[in-house]
Amino acid sequence: MHALGNEHLSKAEWRDRLTRARADQTAESHARDASALVSAVSNVTSGTVCAYLPFGTEPGTTALVYALAAGGARVLLPVILSRTDPLDWAEYTGEADLVPSRFRGIREPGGKRLGTEAVGAAELILVPALAVDRRGVRLGRGAGHYDRSLVFAAAGVPLLAVVRDEELVERLPGEPHDVRMSGALTPGRGVLDLPM
């Protein structure tokens, strides 16, 4: 279990610290982490998986989504409708069918929208995170899209925060509306159950 700093930091302070640490990661280190994440999900069985396309300094690459689909999973990717709505979902049908989102830097499937409740069909949900703690408290970017969306997930479905190894921390500030993660997916340790 890594600690990037004081457990008494605010969410904004954590976000600033984690964002700066990600920006300092070398391209070679990012590529190694991305390859390790692909290896870690290679054991995911077929079924419906809600995933996402990493962008910017987020761990992983589109190879993670491709590996899930190549392994036989039906992969649903998020579509951001607005800054305040839950996420919509669309099926990943290949790199060629991805289109730019209305939000800069994000790509999404260009096909049929399945609705906000499509996440309820998932047997596994990969969730982007800046960090997650040993209790399953996830720190996102602060927009709240996943907290509003994961309420539609089936009870007991695994919710895995995808983070770098050092972003699995001892304790993050949490709020009652935060949806807790049941696990983490990291490059070095693969899938870990939470709480630890």
Side-chain angles (χ1 to χ4, degrees), residues 112-142:
K112 178 184 175 187
R113 302 298 183 247
L114 303 175
T116 57
E117 295 184 9
V119 69
E123 298 162 47
L124 171 67
I125 302 173
L126 300 180
V127 185
L130 287 171
V132 66
D133 75 15
R134 65 178 186 82
R135 302 168 301 146
V137 174
R138 169 188 162 269
L139 182 69
R141 294 179 177 270

PDB file of all heavy atoms in Angstrom, residues 112-142:
ATOM      1  N   LYS A 112     -25.095   3.384 -31.777  1.00  0.00           N
ATOM      2  CA  LYS A 112     -26.348   3.574 -31.053  1.00  0.00           C
ATOM      3  C   LYS A 112     -26.125   3.777 -29.551  1.00  0.00           C
ATOM      4  O   LYS A 112     -25.388   3.042 -28.909  1.00  0.00           O
ATOM      5  CB  LYS A 112     -27.227   2.337 -31.281  1.00  0.00           C
ATOM      6  CG  LYS A 112     -28.547   2.379 -30.550  1.00  0.00           C
ATOM      7  CD  LYS A 112     -29.312   1.077 -30.745  1.00  0.00           C
ATOM      8  CE  LYS A 112     -30.578   1.090 -29.896  1.00  0.00           C
ATOM      9  NZ  LYS A 112     -31.246  -0.213 -29.934  1.00  0.00           N
ATOM     10  N   ARG A 113     -26.827   4.765 -29.011  1.00  0.00           N
ATOM     11  CA  ARG A 113     -26.805   5.023 -27.571  1.00  0.00           C
ATOM     12  C   ARG A 113     -27.734   4.037 -26.884  1.00  0.00           C
ATOM     13  O   ARG A 113     -28.853   3.790 -27.335  1.00  0.00           O
ATOM     14  CB  ARG A 113     -27.251   6.454 -27.255  1.00  0.00           C
ATOM     15  CG  ARG A 113     -26.423   7.534 -27.926  1.00  0.00           C
ATOM     16  CD  ARG A 113     -24.975   7.489 -27.460  1.00  0.00           C
ATOM     17  NE  ARG A 113     -24.172   8.557 -28.023  1.00  0.00           N
ATOM     18  CZ  ARG A 113     -23.185   8.360 -28.886  1.00  0.00           C
ATOM     19  NH1 ARG A 113     -22.908   7.152 -29.307  1.00  0.00           N
ATOM     20  NH2 ARG A 113     -22.487   9.368 -29.341  1.00  0.00           N
ATOM     21  N   LEU A 114     -27.267   3.471 -25.771  1.00  0.00           N
ATOM     22  CA  LEU A 114     -28.018   2.415 -25.082  1.00  0.00           C
ATOM     23  C   LEU A 114     -28.749   2.907 -23.836  1.00  0.00           C
ATOM     24  O   LEU A 114     -29.496   2.148 -23.238  1.00  0.00           O
ATOM     25  CB  LEU A 114     -27.060   1.277 -24.702  1.00  0.00           C
ATOM     26  CG  LEU A 114     -26.302   0.669 -25.884  1.00  0.00           C
ATOM     27  CD1 LEU A 114     -25.297  -0.350 -25.395  1.00  0.00           C
ATOM     28  CD2 LEU A 114     -27.277   0.046 -26.877  1.00  0.00           C
ATOM     29  N   GLY A 115     -28.518   4.160 -23.447  1.00  0.00           N
ATOM     30  CA  GLY A 115     -29.192   4.719 -22.282  1.00  0.00           C
ATOM     31  C   GLY A 115     -28.368   4.614 -21.005  1.00  0.00           C
ATOM     32  O   GLY A 115     -27.426   3.830 -20.909  1.00  0.00           O
ATOM     33  N   THR A 116     -28.752   5.408 -20.030  1.00  0.00           N
ATOM     34  CA  THR A 116     -27.998   5.466 -18.771  1.00  0.00           C
ATOM     35  C   THR A 116     -28.100   4.175 -17.973  1.00  0.00           C
ATOM     36  O   THR A 116     -27.202   3.860 -17.187  1.00  0.00           O
ATOM     37  CB  THR A 116     -28.485   6.643 -17.907  1.00  0.00           C
ATOM     38  OG1 THR A 116     -29.884   6.494 -17.671  1.00  0.00           O
ATOM     39  CG2 THR A 116     -28.230   7.973 -18.587  1.00  0.00           C
ATOM     40  N   GLU A 117     -29.163   3.407 -18.168  1.00  0.00           N
ATOM     41  CA  GLU A 117     -29.342   2.183 -17.389  1.00  0.00           C
ATOM     42  C   GLU A 117     -28.645   0.973 -18.004  1.00  0.00           C
ATOM     43  O   GLU A 117     -28.660  -0.110 -17.423  1.00  0.00           O
ATOM     44  CB  GLU A 117     -30.832   1.913 -17.182  1.00  0.00           C
ATOM     45  CG  GLU A 117     -31.476   2.994 -16.327  1.00  0.00           C
ATOM     46  CD  GLU A 117     -32.924   2.731 -15.999  1.00  0.00           C
ATOM     47  OE1 GLU A 117     -33.417   1.629 -16.281  1.00  0.00           O
ATOM     48  OE2 GLU A 117     -33.560   3.639 -15.443  1.00  0.00           O
ATOM     49  N   ALA A 118     -27.986   1.155 -19.146  1.00  0.00           N
ATOM     50  CA  ALA A 118     -27.269   0.042 -19.785  1.00  0.00           C
ATOM     51  C   ALA A 118     -26.156  -0.495 -18.903  1.00  0.00           C
ATOM     52  O   ALA A 118     -25.790  -1.665 -18.996  1.00  0.00           O
ATOM     53  CB  ALA A 118     -26.708   0.486 -21.136  1.00  0.00           C
ATOM     54  N   VAL A 119     -25.635   0.337 -18.022  1.00  0.00           N
ATOM     55  CA  VAL A 119     -24.594  -0.107 -17.091  1.00  0.00           C
ATOM     56  C   VAL A 119     -25.095  -1.261 -16.211  1.00  0.00           C
ATOM     57  O   VAL A 119     -24.315  -2.073 -15.721  1.00  0.00           O
ATOM     58  CB  VAL A 119     -24.073   1.077 -16.237  1.00  0.00           C
ATOM     59  CG1 VAL A 119     -25.118   1.568 -15.261  1.00  0.00           C
ATOM     60  CG2 VAL A 119     -22.788   0.714 -15.514  1.00  0.00           C
ATOM     61  N   GLY A 120     -26.400  -1.388 -16.066  1.00  0.00           N
ATOM     62  CA  GLY A 120     -26.985  -2.462 -15.267  1.00  0.00           C
ATOM     63  C   GLY A 120     -26.768  -3.845 -15.855  1.00  0.00           C
ATOM     64  O   GLY A 120     -26.909  -4.843 -15.149  1.00  0.00           O
ATOM     65  N   ALA A 121     -26.398  -3.928 -17.135  1.00  0.00           N
ATOM     66  CA  ALA A 121     -26.132  -5.215 -17.776  1.00  0.00           C
ATOM     67  C   ALA A 121     -24.694  -5.678 -17.563  1.00  0.00           C
ATOM     68  O   ALA A 121     -24.352  -6.812 -17.878  1.00  0.00           O
ATOM     69  CB  ALA A 121     -26.422  -5.122 -19.271  1.00  0.00           C
ATOM     70  N   ALA A 122     -23.851  -4.801 -17.028  1.00  0.00           N
ATOM     71  CA  ALA A 122     -22.424  -5.127 -16.903  1.00  0.00           C
ATOM     72  C   ALA A 122     -22.175  -6.177 -15.829  1.00  0.00           C
ATOM     73  O   ALA A 122     -22.788  -6.165 -14.767  1.00  0.00           O
ATOM     74  CB  ALA A 122     -21.633  -3.869 -16.594  1.00  0.00           C
ATOM     75  N   GLU A 123     -21.235  -7.061 -16.139  1.00  0.00           N
ATOM     76  CA  GLU A 123     -20.770  -8.058 -15.182  1.00  0.00           C
ATOM     77  C   GLU A 123     -19.459  -7.619 -14.539  1.00  0.00           C
ATOM     78  O   GLU A 123     -18.973  -8.244 -13.595  1.00  0.00           O
ATOM     79  CB  GLU A 123     -20.607  -9.402 -15.879  1.00  0.00           C
ATOM     80  CG  GLU A 123     -21.936  -9.927 -16.430  1.00  0.00           C
ATOM     81  CD  GLU A 123     -21.744 -11.003 -17.475  1.00  0.00           C
ATOM     82  OE1 GLU A 123     -20.942 -11.923 -17.242  1.00  0.00           O
ATOM     83  OE2 GLU A 123     -22.394 -10.915 -18.528  1.00  0.00           O
ATOM     84  N   LEU A 124     -18.879  -6.553 -15.062  1.00  0.00           N
ATOM     85  CA  LEU A 124     -17.656  -5.946 -14.536  1.00  0.00           C
ATOM     86  C   LEU A 124     -17.650  -4.503 -15.000  1.00  0.00           C
ATOM     87  O   LEU A 124     -18.007  -4.220 -16.144  1.00  0.00           O
ATOM     88  CB  LEU A 124     -16.416  -6.675 -15.082  1.00  0.00           C
ATOM     89  CG  LEU A 124     -15.057  -6.035 -14.785  1.00  0.00           C
ATOM     90  CD1 LEU A 124     -14.748  -6.085 -13.292  1.00  0.00           C
ATOM     91  CD2 LEU A 124     -13.957  -6.714 -15.585  1.00  0.00           C
ATOM     92  N   ILE A 125     -17.241  -3.593 -14.106  1.00  0.00           N
ATOM     93  CA  ILE A 125     -17.165  -2.174 -14.467  1.00  0.00           C
ATOM     94  C   ILE A 125     -15.786  -1.650 -14.092  1.00  0.00           C
ATOM     95  O   ILE A 125     -15.380  -1.717 -12.928  1.00  0.00           O
ATOM     96  CB  ILE A 125     -18.262  -1.349 -13.762  1.00  0.00           C
ATOM     97  CG1 ILE A 125     -19.651  -1.909 -14.119  1.00  0.00           C
ATOM     98  CG2 ILE A 125     -18.150   0.125 -14.165  1.00  0.00           C
ATOM     99  CD1 ILE A 125     -20.792  -1.269 -13.350  1.00  0.00           C
ATOM    100  N   LEU A 126     -15.063  -1.157 -15.095  1.00  0.00           N
ATOM    101  CA  LEU A 126     -13.776  -0.507 -14.880  1.00  0.00           C
ATOM    102  C   LEU A 126     -14.027   0.989 -14.776  1.00  0.00           C
ATOM    103  O   LEU A 126     -14.652   1.582 -15.662  1.00  0.00           O
ATOM    104  CB  LEU A 126     -12.816  -0.805 -16.036  1.00  0.00           C
ATOM    105  CG  LEU A 126     -12.493  -2.283 -16.286  1.00  0.00           C
ATOM    106  CD1 LEU A 126     -11.526  -2.420 -17.463  1.00  0.00           C
ATOM    107  CD2 LEU A 126     -11.926  -2.938 -15.048  1.00  0.00           C
ATOM    108  N   VAL A 127     -13.540   1.584 -13.710  1.00  0.00           N
ATOM    109  CA  VAL A 127     -13.859   2.978 -13.398  1.00  0.00           C
ATOM    110  C   VAL A 127     -12.569   3.805 -13.360  1.00  0.00           C
ATOM    111  O   VAL A 127     -11.640   3.453 -12.634  1.00  0.00           O
ATOM    112  CB  VAL A 127     -14.585   3.079 -12.033  1.00  0.00           C
ATOM    113  CG1 VAL A 127     -15.021   4.507 -11.756  1.00  0.00           C
ATOM    114  CG2 VAL A 127     -15.786   2.133 -11.992  1.00  0.00           C
ATOM    115  N   PRO A 128     -12.518   4.903 -14.110  1.00  0.00           N
ATOM    116  CA  PRO A 128     -11.332   5.750 -14.027  1.00  0.00           C
ATOM    117  C   PRO A 128     -11.250   6.414 -12.651  1.00  0.00           C
ATOM    118  O   PRO A 128     -12.270   6.742 -12.053  1.00  0.00           O
ATOM    119  CB  PRO A 128     -11.551   6.791 -15.128  1.00  0.00           C
ATOM    120  CG  PRO A 128     -13.031   6.843 -15.316  1.00  0.00           C
ATOM    121  CD  PRO A 128     -13.542   5.457 -15.006  1.00  0.00           C
ATOM    122  N   ALA A 129     -10.035   6.590 -12.173  1.00  0.00           N
ATOM    123  CA  ALA A 129      -9.844   7.204 -10.863  1.00  0.00           C
ATOM    124  C   ALA A 129      -8.476   7.866 -10.814  1.00  0.00           C
ATOM    125  O   ALA A 129      -7.542   7.422 -11.479  1.00  0.00           O
ATOM    126  CB  ALA A 129      -9.952   6.144  -9.762  1.00  0.00           C
ATOM    127  N   LEU A 130      -8.387   8.914 -10.023  1.00  0.00           N
ATOM    128  CA  LEU A 130      -7.077   9.489  -9.720  1.00  0.00           C
ATOM    129  C   LEU A 130      -6.402   8.686  -8.621  1.00  0.00           C
ATOM    130  O   LEU A 130      -5.189   8.587  -8.557  1.00  0.00           O
ATOM    131  CB  LEU A 130      -7.220  10.951  -9.285  1.00  0.00           C
ATOM    132  CG  LEU A 130      -7.556  11.940 -10.391  1.00  0.00           C
ATOM    133  CD1 LEU A 130      -7.883  13.302  -9.803  1.00  0.00           C
ATOM    134  CD2 LEU A 130      -6.402  12.052 -11.374  1.00  0.00           C
ATOM    135  N   ALA A 131      -7.220   8.118  -7.733  1.00  0.00           N
ATOM    136  CA  ALA A 131      -6.714   7.278  -6.641  1.00  0.00           C
ATOM    137  C   ALA A 131      -7.881   6.521  -6.047  1.00  0.00           C
ATOM    138  O   ALA A 131      -9.052   6.875  -6.249  1.00  0.00           O
ATOM    139  CB  ALA A 131      -6.038   8.131  -5.561  1.00  0.00           C
ATOM    140  N   VAL A 132      -7.557   5.473  -5.300  1.00  0.00           N
ATOM    141  CA  VAL A 132      -8.553   4.736  -4.530  1.00  0.00           C
ATOM    142  C   VAL A 132      -7.872   4.324  -3.231  1.00  0.00           C
ATOM    143  O   VAL A 132      -6.661   4.092  -3.204  1.00  0.00           O
ATOM    144  CB  VAL A 132      -9.090   3.511  -5.323  1.00  0.00           C
ATOM    145  CG1 VAL A 132      -8.014   2.461  -5.548  1.00  0.00           C
ATOM    146  CG2 VAL A 132     -10.315   2.914  -4.658  1.00  0.00           C
ATOM    147  N   ASP A 133      -8.650   4.281  -2.156  1.00  0.00           N
ATOM    148  CA  ASP A 133      -8.029   3.871  -0.899  1.00  0.00           C
ATOM    149  C   ASP A 133      -8.425   2.454  -0.526  1.00  0.00           C
ATOM    150  O   ASP A 133      -9.251   1.825  -1.189  1.00  0.00           O
ATOM    151  CB  ASP A 133      -8.285   4.893   0.214  1.00  0.00           C
ATOM    152  CG  ASP A 133      -9.683   4.888   0.801  1.00  0.00           C
ATOM    153  OD1 ASP A 133     -10.446   3.925   0.584  1.00  0.00           O
ATOM    154  OD2 ASP A 133     -10.020   5.853   1.509  1.00  0.00           O
ATOM    155  N   ARG A 134      -7.834   1.942   0.535  1.00  0.00           N
ATOM    156  CA  ARG A 134      -8.019   0.540   0.917  1.00  0.00           C
ATOM    157  C   ARG A 134      -9.450   0.229   1.343  1.00  0.00           C
ATOM    158  O   ARG A 134      -9.847  -0.918   1.401  1.00  0.00           O
ATOM    159  CB  ARG A 134      -7.046   0.146   2.019  1.00  0.00           C
ATOM    160  CG  ARG A 134      -7.272   0.886   3.318  1.00  0.00           C
ATOM    161  CD  ARG A 134      -6.301   0.407   4.395  1.00  0.00           C
ATOM    162  NE  ARG A 134      -6.619   1.015   5.659  1.00  0.00           N
ATOM    163  CZ  ARG A 134      -7.567   0.573   6.478  1.00  0.00           C
ATOM    164  NH1 ARG A 134      -8.267  -0.485   6.181  1.00  0.00           N
ATOM    165  NH2 ARG A 134      -7.809   1.199   7.620  1.00  0.00           N
ATOM    166  N   ARG A 135     -10.260   1.290   1.591  1.00  0.00           N
ATOM    167  CA  ARG A 135     -11.676   1.095   1.952  1.00  0.00           C
ATOM    168  C   ARG A 135     -12.585   1.099   0.736  1.00  0.00           C
ATOM    169  O   ARG A 135     -13.782   0.877   0.849  1.00  0.00           O
ATOM    170  CB  ARG A 135     -12.126   2.208   2.915  1.00  0.00           C
ATOM    171  CG  ARG A 135     -11.309   2.305   4.195  1.00  0.00           C
ATOM    172  CD  ARG A 135     -11.624   3.592   4.961  1.00  0.00           C
ATOM    173  NE  ARG A 135     -11.341   4.749   4.118  1.00  0.00           N
ATOM    174  CZ  ARG A 135     -12.036   5.884   4.160  1.00  0.00           C
ATOM    175  NH1 ARG A 135     -13.043   6.032   4.990  1.00  0.00           N
ATOM    176  NH2 ARG A 135     -11.707   6.889   3.367  1.00  0.00           N
ATOM    177  N   GLY A 136     -12.012   1.407  -0.443  1.00  0.00           N
ATOM    178  CA  GLY A 136     -12.806   1.489  -1.658  1.00  0.00           C
ATOM    179  C   GLY A 136     -13.269   2.890  -1.997  1.00  0.00           C
ATOM    180  O   GLY A 136     -14.022   3.074  -2.960  1.00  0.00           O
ATOM    181  N   VAL A 137     -12.832   3.890  -1.239  1.00  0.00           N
ATOM    182  CA  VAL A 137     -13.178   5.280  -1.562  1.00  0.00           C
ATOM    183  C   VAL A 137     -12.363   5.694  -2.787  1.00  0.00           C
ATOM    184  O   VAL A 137     -11.138   5.579  -2.803  1.00  0.00           O
ATOM    185  CB  VAL A 137     -12.888   6.228  -0.382  1.00  0.00           C
ATOM    186  CG1 VAL A 137     -13.111   7.685  -0.793  1.00  0.00           C
ATOM    187  CG2 VAL A 137     -13.768   5.874   0.807  1.00  0.00           C
ATOM    188  N   ARG A 138     -13.061   6.133  -3.818  1.00  0.00           N
ATOM    189  CA  ARG A 138     -12.448   6.517  -5.087  1.00  0.00           C
ATOM    190  C   ARG A 138     -12.416   8.031  -5.209  1.00  0.00           C
ATOM    191  O   ARG A 138     -13.384   8.710  -4.873  1.00  0.00           O
ATOM    192  CB  ARG A 138     -13.274   5.927  -6.235  1.00  0.00           C
ATOM    193  CG  ARG A 138     -12.919   6.441  -7.613  1.00  0.00           C
ATOM    194  CD  ARG A 138     -13.934   5.923  -8.643  1.00  0.00           C
ATOM    195  NE  ARG A 138     -13.874   6.708  -9.843  1.00  0.00           N
ATOM    196  CZ  ARG A 138     -14.598   7.794 -10.094  1.00  0.00           C
ATOM    197  NH1 ARG A 138     -15.493   8.213  -9.215  1.00  0.00           N
ATOM    198  NH2 ARG A 138     -14.456   8.451 -11.221  1.00  0.00           N
ATOM    199  N   LEU A 139     -11.308   8.538  -5.709  1.00  0.00           N
ATOM    200  CA  LEU A 139     -11.203   9.959  -6.028  1.00  0.00           C
ATOM    201  C   LEU A 139     -11.180  10.098  -7.535  1.00  0.00           C
ATOM    202  O   LEU A 139     -10.267   9.605  -8.206  1.00  0.00           O
ATOM    203  CB  LEU A 139      -9.926  10.551  -5.421  1.00  0.00           C
ATOM    204  CG  LEU A 139      -9.744  12.057  -5.649  1.00  0.00           C
ATOM    205  CD1 LEU A 139     -10.781  12.849  -4.858  1.00  0.00           C
ATOM    206  CD2 LEU A 139      -8.339  12.487  -5.258  1.00  0.00           C
ATOM    207  N   GLY A 140     -12.215  10.732  -8.072  1.00  0.00           N
ATOM    208  CA  GLY A 140     -12.279  10.998  -9.506  1.00  0.00           C
ATOM    209  C   GLY A 140     -11.851  12.425  -9.795  1.00  0.00           C
ATOM    210  O   GLY A 140     -11.275  13.106  -8.946  1.00  0.00           O
ATOM    211  N   ARG A 141     -12.187  12.889 -10.969  1.00  0.00           N
ATOM    212  CA  ARG A 141     -11.803  14.249 -11.370  1.00  0.00           C
ATOM    213  C   ARG A 141     -12.725  15.313 -10.790  1.00  0.00           C
ATOM    214  O   ARG A 141     -12.469  16.494 -10.924  1.00  0.00           O
ATOM    215  CB  ARG A 141     -11.781  14.347 -12.891  1.00  0.00           C
ATOM    216  CG  ARG A 141     -10.697  13.501 -13.521  1.00  0.00           C
ATOM    217  CD  ARG A 141     -10.734  13.613 -15.031  1.00  0.00           C
ATOM    218  NE  ARG A 141      -9.665  12.862 -15.640  1.00  0.00           N
ATOM    219  CZ  ARG A 141      -8.464  13.357 -15.907  1.00  0.00           C
ATOM    220  NH1 ARG A 141      -8.173  14.598 -15.610  1.00  0.00           N
ATOM    221  NH2 ARG A 141      -7.547  12.605 -16.477  1.00  0.00           N
ATOM    222  N   GLY A 142     -13.827  14.886 -10.202  1.00  0.00           N
ATOM    223  CA  GLY A 142     -14.686  15.843  -9.518  1.00  0.00           C
ATOM    224  C   GLY A 142     -15.971  16.188 -10.236  1.00  0.00           C
ATOM    225  O   GLY A 142     -16.784  16.945  -9.714  1.00  0.00           O
TER     226      GLY A 142
END
